[in-house]
Amino acid sequence: MAKTLYDKLWDSHVVEQREDGTALIYIDRHLIHEVTSPQAFEGLRLAGRKPWRLDANLSMPDHNVSTDTAERAQGMDGIVDPTSRLQVKTLDDNVRAFNIPGYAMDDPRQGIVHVVGPEQGATLPGMTVVCGDSHTSTHGAFAALAHGIGTSEVEHALATQCLVQKKMKNMLVRVEGELGPGVTAKDLVLAVIGEIGTAGGTGCAIEFAGSSITSLSMEGRMTVCNMAIEAGARSGLIAVDEKTIEYFKGRPMAPGEEHWQQAVTAWRELVSDDGAHFDRVVEIDGSAIKPQVSWGNSPEMVLPVDALVPDPALEQDETRREAIERALEYMGLTAGQAITDIQLDRVFIGSCTNSRIEDIRAAANVVRGNKVAPTVKQAMVVAGSGLVKAQAEQEGLDQVFTAAGFEWREPGCSMCLAMNADKLGEGEHCASTSNRNFEGRQGFGGRTHLVSPEMAAAAAIHGHFVNVQDVIQER
Amino acid sequence: MQKFIQHTGIAVPLDRANVDTDLIIPKQFLKSIKRSGFGVNLFDSLRYLDEGYIGQDCSKRKLNTEFVLNQPRYQGASILLARQNFGCGSSREHAPWALLDYGFRAVIAPSFADIFYNNSFKNGFLPIVLDSAEVDALFEFVHNNEGAQLNIDLQEQTVAAERAGLSYRFDIDDFRKSCLLNGLDEIGLSLQSADAIRRFEEKQRAASPWLYR
Ligand code: SF4
């Protein structure tokens, strides 16, 4: 029978199928960070259990680390907030006690788990990948079955190398057509979420396909799968092609020469068969997508940059009307106002959605030779990993940013969720390349607008949103 | 894990769709390395007028009296009534921990985000899906009947508002149901399959040796 990519990944990891429809699923890679693991290690200790298989785990601190260069140089002592420090230290202590492989805060390879996993080849096609973090969906870009889990499941994965799961439904999002100039993977996925809604993929694994998707680089594909969770899907998937295979050549944890051919042969099977059944199919015209900006407090509250902020009076549905009213109030916006009139206080380029080398290059291209607008209090670039940062510096991109007035910071989650010191003040508007615009996400009372790196860079220079397509045309 | 068999309690209506986990328990409280103590910060940004921080004495903070949880009639509530896509956003298990620590045992909504739904069961906290019309009826019932209680029976898979003669059946898969009814530790159950796990690994190692180092 014709199978979807998801069917194949699922079938190849069933350890035991149970009568009630659940199955024990084997986990090939478990990524660990400091926020969702302390209670899991504690649970292991209390039950007198040991990790089942050490080499399947990879740990690193990312959420609480300081991104300030001077603070970072002081190691653990440089983390000013004692609760943050304790959490990072607890991870250090736990991984040492249980012998879990990983990168400590001062390791040059440290970074955001979802950036580092693929970068090291710790994520590979055909794997099952889990992490106590919802953006684990990112790794689906490599045809890995990847999803976020809670802390009980972190403990379960550590203790058994398995999880009890129920098979999800198959959903296909096909995006066809050439993306316009200045339109990125971020705009594509924001447009998809705007279309299907934040619960559009609930209960499903979404496979992204079509020419708009295959034309993306692996970095772009990661951006798309990263935000599958924002469409309600625990997993996003993209089939293997030559770009996928090429990506892993020479990565430290990828198969070496002795297994390379064998691995590639297996990886080539990781595509949905012709005629495979999807429970739901959504078709989107990629050529019609414009640069996107989110205006509200849910990632589905997103519009093309040349649009106007919605008017709740025009909304028929009562729950939705109230949601719009509440969002406008929280965001300090007026119905009918142009998106391009939104003034920015801060700009954040980073997060597991958009902090890879390609994102930084793209933003640098917009910034080069310009200055951050005087009305913008702070604009920062936070690379996703130590290696991304080093690569960017080698290309001189750090100079492009600092010359323009941007801060160039150490790798970590940073202002994506503001668990460290990088935060928005109350009422401040931020052009952010992250993935969530929930109330208070980037700081109490902070107002987040989700955009692509190019759009964030252009907004930093102008002090308000502009259509990056116009900026590109001027050149 | 705490068992869940039957529960009767006051329900509090949270009339808002897409309640995300950042709203349930804001990230500054995720820095705790414990499982308990999150209850005072449940819905922190909605419950209090100031910004909360970890380890603070919440009894001195200014309450947002308009927020439903702060209204006198809902004090002591142990069932949360919510709207669609409850628990969307991050994978933080701190969300069900905070709900439990506050005193909730169950949440009823037309739909839940997957990870939140999953996490709830691991903690003896019951998420119940009813259809929208049924949830609407419960909202109305709770609104109109101060102090009225709902009755949840997991064995029978029902939610009832006796005073109004309402009773609704809900679905739940058998494995989760029996874990909740018996308070079973899922890890212990899975480890009963240790031999099957080892057999899987042997086969996989032969077919895909690059996955092992
Ligand atoms: S960058 Fe943001 S979304 Fe990604 S793992 Fe860190 S906090 Fe989560």
Side-chain angles (χ1 to χ4, degrees), chain A residues 12-16 18 20 22 24 26 28 35-36 38-40 49 52-53 55 64 81 83-84 86-87 90 124 127 131-134 148-153 155-156 159-162 164-166 198-199 201-204 229-230 232 234 252-255 259 262-263 266-267 297-298 300 319 326 417-420 436 438-444, chain B residues 15-18 20-23 26-36 38 44-46 48-52 54-55 61 83-85 88-94 97 111-115 118-119 122-123 172-176 185-201 203-213:
Chain A
S12 61
H13 287 87
V14 175
V15 172
E16 239 174 36
R18 305 198 166 139
D20 60 8
T22 62
L24 199 60
Y26 192 77
D28 298 319
V35 183
T36 49
Q39 296 88 350
R49 291 178 177 133
W52 178 273
R53 189 186 142 199
D55 71 324
N64 284 278
D81 176 350
T83 52
S84 284
L86 177 63
Q87 206 159 49
T90 304
L124 293 170
M127 272 185 166
C131 174
D133 193 285
S134 59
I149 56 178
T151 300
S152 295
E153 286 183 322
E155 185 180 339
H156 195 286
T160 69
Q161 209 52 48
C162 291
V164 180
Q165 297 287 298
K166 203 165 187 174
T198 46
T202 303
C204 303
I229 184 69
E230 258 51 71
R234 290 172 75 193
M253 295 172 77
H259 300 307
Q262 191 187 356
W267 294 348
N297 299 117
S298 159
E300 71 186 20
T319 320
R326 190 165 41 226
L417 96 165
M419 271 189 89
N420 68 352
R436 287 192 175 135
F438 299 156
E439 289 182 19
R441 170 83 178 176
Q442 294 189 288
F444 187 75
Chain B
D15 196 1
R16 171 171 182 149
N18 297 314
D20 58 71
T21 54
D22 279 84
L23 216 49
K27 71 268 154 170
Q28 63 266 39
F29 306 108
L30 272 50
K31 293 180 187 177
S32 165
I33 56 171
K34 301 206 208 80
R35 251 174 219 267
S36 56
F38 296 102
D44 199 85
S45 60
L46 300 175
Y48 304 100
L49 292 171
D50 57 345
E51 178 181 8
I54 189 168
R61 295 172 66 191
R83 295 295 187 187
Q84 71 261 25
N85 201 26
C88 60
S90 87
S91 65
R92 62 189 70 160
E93 200 155 317
H94 312 67
W97 294 341
S111 62
F112 292 94
D114 291 334
I115 302 180
N118 214 13
N119 283 342
K122 320 276 182 196
N123 293 282
I172 176 171
D173 72 51
D174 293 343
F175 177 71
R176 284 174 166 149
D185 167 6
E186 214 179 79
I187 295 180
L189 282 176
S190 295
L191 283 174
Q192 289 175 4
S193 302
D195 288 343
I197 302 172
R198 278 189 209 102
R199 276 197 301 277
F200 178 93
E201 285 178 328
K203 245 174 55 197
Q204 194 193 44
R205 191 192 280 266
S208 316
W210 61 88
L211 295 176
Y212 294 75
R213 24 185 77 222

Side-chain angles (χ1 to χ4, degrees), chain A residues 63 112 114 133 135 351-352 413 416-417 435 441:
Chain A
H63 288 64
I112 307 171
H114 310 309
D133 193 285
H135 292 99
S351 91
C352 57
C413 293
C416 172
L417 96 165
N435 42 50
R441 170 83 178 176

Side-chain angles (χ1 to χ4, degrees), chain A residues 415-433:
Chain A
M415 209 196 265
C416 172
L417 96 165
M419 271 189 89
N420 68 352
D422 311 339
K423 288 187 182 119
L424 296 184
E426 204 168 338
E428 288 181 345
H429 287 269
C430 179
S432 177
T433 65

Side-chain angles (χ1 to χ4, degrees), chain A residues 294-364:
Chain A
S294 78
W295 56 269
N297 299 117
S298 159
E300 71 186 20
M301 292 173 159
V302 66
L303 284 167
V305 58
D306 55 6
L308 306 179
V309 170
D311 184 350
L314 303 176
E315 176 61 59
Q316 303 292 317
D317 181 88
E318 195 187 319
T319 320
R320 259 195 270 171
R321 184 166 59 240
E322 282 170 11
I324 296 175
E325 280 166 359
R326 190 165 41 226
L328 291 184
E329 199 195 323
Y330 180 87
M331 295 296 289
L333 299 174
T334 356
Q337 143 180 32
I339 297 254
T340 46
D341 283 343
I342 300 174
Q343 306 291 318
L344 282 326
D345 301 288
R346 293 180 203 262
V347 174
F348 170 63
I349 298 177
S351 91
C352 57
T353 315
N354 283 123
S355 65
R356 289 169 281 267
I357 190 67
E358 184 183 279
D359 302 311
I360 294 179
R361 282 184 194 135

